[in-house]
Amino acid sequence: LVLALLPAINAARTEPVRAVARRSLAWVFVAALALRLGMEGLRLFPSGPWRITLEWATGLLAVVLVALYAQVARTGPFKRGARTIGLVLLGLATLLFWQGETGGAMFFATLATLRTPWVAVLSTVERLRASIAALLVAVAMFVGVPDGLLTSDTSLALVRLARVVVGLGAAWAAMRAFRAFTDDPTLGIRRVSLRLALSHVLVVTIPLFIVVTLWVSSTYLGVNAERALTAGRLLERESAAFEASARATLAAASDPRTAARAMSIVRGARWPGTRAYVVRNGVAQRAVGEPIPGDPALADWVAGLDTLRGHGVVDMGGTRWLGCAVRIQGTGLVVLSPMQSVLDSTLAPIMGSELVMLRARPLEADLDSLVMVAGEMEEDATSPDPEVVRGDSLSAARLRAAAEVMGMRDSVVRAHRRQVPIAIAAGDDTLSVQLVGYGLTGQVSVMGLRHLEGRWQDDAFALTVRTSLRSILMGLFDKLRDNPWQAIPVAALVALGLLLLPLFATNLRMVRGMGRSITHAIRALREGARAFSEGRLAHRILIEGEDDLWDAAQQFNTMAAGLEQAREAEQERTRYENELEVARRIQARLLPAAPPSVPGYDLAGRSESAREVGGDYYDHLDLGGGRWLLVIADVSGKGVPASLLMSGFRAALMGMTTGQESPAMDRVASRLNEFLHQSVEAGRFVTAFLGVLDTNSGRFSYVNAGHNPPLLRRSDGRVETLTEGGLILGILPGSTYDAAETVIEPGDLMLLFTDGVTEGADASGEQWGDDRLVTRLGTVHPLPAREVAERIVREVRTFEGQSGPADDLTVLVVKRL
């Protein structure tokens, strides 16, 4: 329920997400530290009410830690639906945990919290701090955690849930946060010199750390492996000598029991707990020591000495011994010594390491005692031997009962005061289990025999050697007193360290020199930028070096000179743009401001320039008496020259038509041709279409001077083109023009347009074309004239797309209602 309510609580907060993330991460770190301290505190209270209270407090801390981490995992930007999915997973994990399915709860809780959206809201330095804190939390959750000290099932389940969910999440978060930290090339450091120094430190320390780590690990593993190999050889020699000694003793003794007692005295002094058996007539009789479960099978070993090994590791019911078996004239002698006792008293002092022989198979169910010493069965709990029951009041029966209840009957257990990973407490007594694994140790196989399923067979057994890292790394220095010659390699190491000091000093001096140079150049660049921001473009940087930064300063000076020139050019361009704006406004006034109101007709025009000003022109002039002069023209070229020529054309047209009720279009065209030929430079010309519309009768008299033929769409769908006229204006003097006439009937629509409509092209060069115009004219025929003009212009510009307008575009629509 707490996990399910956390998202709503977090969403209700009004403070910034970054502040929520920082505070939540801090609380997770504190809660993880408190949980680890609580688990470590269990070592101080073997039993009693304080231990019970501490266990429940530890379980409560585990709940708080998981809840806080769930809140952190839901802090930050999320994709749509992710919060809902996370809430469902948390609810499912809570339900499974309530039902006792701890594994399923761990799985779904991990899925719900294995997110790091909070990384995006932290600064670069905060990401580094978060990665270090998350790594410490992961270490606190996984490394050396004594959760086996918990006896309460509920507390144990809660702690394991917290360890898995928070531990895995923190490890993932540490990697994500550090990755985000390294994505910032500045590493959160503003000063370049400090950043450069840090980069040098990282370049030196990280490879050094990797090399040292590899050297330490390889040395540790190599020494353990070598010592394991040596221990295996020593154990083989010791067992062979064991057999030779037993054979010699049996041969020299007058009675086999005397030989057995002699062997137990000699070997028992070194290896307490040694047993000796005499085998006669196929029966093994115990001569010295306590009985061993399954010891009648020793007679089969003696009987099979022709094919079986006579010495080595002996495994009986999962208990390991160092033993030997000899047979002389039908009489056999078997001597067994506890394996761990042999390792601890003989091989461990020689090797300077801890030696353990792992048990691969469980103990037999009919063991008479569960009291163990150093991993091997030693004596019954009722034995008076102080080394076995020293300081512990647990009886053999209580040990058996406790082990059976805890499911530890097959484990290697020991009654003592020192806590190890798995333990139970009863009153003032403690029963614990010591688990020994392979890990970073040295292993070697030693030969021996195993009694399994009623028969003996040769087998190999794993011997593990573990040496403390300190003794390996400090071996050169610890042995100086015992071996004065050890001073030679120590002196070599010291000399090597002294040789590295000048290299370190040189590296530091280089870093400081480069840092000062870079800082000085950056300061100069900063001052130049400040001068530019204040408008002092005459400022120049004094060049003091020849590296890349001073090259940048030189480019800065070049840029300053260019900016001065650019400012002058900008002022000139501004003046030119102002003049163009004036020209644009003047040209806009030359075109009709609004369509006229003509009874029975609908007129509208639209013109767009490809540049600030253009050379297209259209007009509708009232001649009186219901007569209107319709004109559309396209001046060659674009921009200001075309605009000026268009203005002259309009002035000439106005002068030739003003005051005339019905001017002759052929004479007007001829006079315009002569005017333009005399007024403009060679190569300049105008295409134009002129027509007079009698609105009373619908008669339309026109002349087409080299212009795109207007389209006349009849009410029945037929399309006619108005082509009669002559050459374009301004090319040849004395050109004559023929006038033509047509009638615009009710429902007809006439479209006058410039070549910018049909020649508008897309990025591939395809033109809009006459066919599209005719097709579109049929589509827009029912619309008002104004909307027809706007739609045609808009569709052409849309067709041109990113290639942009290539020409001026003008249309004039005349529609008889």
Side-chain angles (χ1 to χ4, degrees), residues 674-742:
E674 296 298 327
F675 168 76
L676 292 173
H677 183 267
Q678 295 173 6
S679 302
V680 301
E681 62 183 358
R684 292 286 182 177
F685 57 87
V686 178
T687 66
F689 181 88
L690 311 171
V692 176
L693 174 63
D694 186 347
T695 59
N696 297 319
S697 62
R699 295 175 58 190
F700 183 61
S701 176
Y702 67 89
V703 169
N704 189 335
H707 196 75
N708 296 78
L711 301 178
L712 177 58
R713 188 185 188 281
R714 299 297 184 179
S715 59
D716 59 1
R718 292 180 295 108
V719 177
E720 301 175 5
T721 57
L722 308 180
T723 60
E724 296 296 328
L727 296 175
I728 58 180
L729 304 176
I731 294 296
L732 294 176
S735 296
T736 60
Y737 296 87
D738 298 327
E741 186 175 294
T742 187

Side-chain angles (χ1 to χ4, degrees), residues 506-702:
T506 301
N507 183 56
L508 181 62
R509 185 170 60 255
M510 291 174 58
V511 171
R512 292 180 59 187
M514 286 188 289
R516 283 196 300 267
S517 174
I518 292 173
T519 302
H520 188 53
I522 292 176
R523 186 184 301 113
L525 290 171
R526 186 185 302 115
E527 292 175 355
R530 185 183 299 111
F532 282 10
S533 65
E534 296 172 356
R536 296 183 284 115
L537 299 182
H539 177 80
R540 298 293 182 270
I541 298 175
L542 180 62
I543 306 300
E544 300 181 7
E546 296 181 353
D547 57 12
D548 291 342
L549 285 175
W550 291 114
D551 288 344
Q554 181 62 50
Q555 295 298 325
F556 196 94
N557 291 339
T558 303
M559 180 185 66
L563 285 176
E564 282 191 295
Q565 298 176 0
R567 181 164 63 178
E568 296 176 358
E570 178 67 20
Q571 294 173 350
E572 183 66 21
R573 188 173 68 86
T574 302
R575 183 182 63 81
Y576 178 68
E577 289 179 350
N578 292 335
E579 294 177 355
L580 282 179
E581 178 62 22
V582 173
R584 187 191 63 79
R585 291 199 299 267
I586 293 175
Q587 185 183 33
R589 293 178 63 85
L590 298 179
L591 298 176
S597 178
V598 181
Y601 291 85
D602 186 10
L603 278 72
R606 178 74 184 276
S607 181
E608 280 192 4
S609 300
R611 299 180 182 176
E612 290 80 0
V613 292
D616 280 5
Y617 169 67
Y618 80 95
D619 213 338
H620 31 68
L621 303 175
D622 187 2
L623 301 179
R627 295 178 178 273
W628 288 82
L629 174 62
L630 305 179
V631 57
I632 187 168
D634 186 1
V635 179
S636 62
K638 303 178 185 65
V640 174
S643 174
L644 294 175
L645 184 54
M646 185 271 283
S647 300
F649 172 80
R650 180 180 183 277
L653 177 64
M654 296 291 289
M656 296 176 187
T657 57
T658 302
Q660 299 186 37
E661 181 177 346
S662 181
M665 290 296 97
D666 52 351
R667 290 197 299 270
V668 172
S670 298
R671 293 173 61 187
L672 286 173
N673 178 66
E674 296 298 327
F675 168 76
L676 292 173
H677 183 267
Q678 295 173 6
S679 302
V680 301
E681 62 183 358
R684 292 286 182 177
F685 57 87
V686 178
T687 66
F689 181 88
L690 311 171
V692 176
L693 174 63
D694 186 347
T695 59
N696 297 319
S697 62
R699 295 175 58 190
F700 183 61
S701 176
Y702 67 89

Side-chain angles (χ1 to χ4, degrees), residues 475-480 483-500:
L476 289 176
F477 304 95
D478 291 342
K479 305 300 181 181
L480 282 176
N483 183 14
W485 292 100
Q486 200 82 358
I488 296 177
V490 173
L493 288 176
V494 173
L496 181 60
L498 294 177
L499 288 177
L500 293 177

Side-chain angles (χ1 to χ4, degrees), residues 405-426:
V405 170
M406 297 300 292
M408 295 157 50
R409 188 182 180 97
D410 297 335
S411 301
V412 181
V413 296
R414 184 188 337 187
H416 57 44
R417 301 298 180 193
R418 184 175 60 86
Q419 294 295 160
V420 287
I422 301 178
I424 59 173

Side-chain angles (χ1 to χ4, degrees), residues 391-408:
D392 201 300
S393 61
L394 285 176
S395 65
R398 293 177 63 192
L399 277 172
R400 292 192 195 94
E404 289 174 357
V405 170
M406 297 300 292
M408 295 157 50

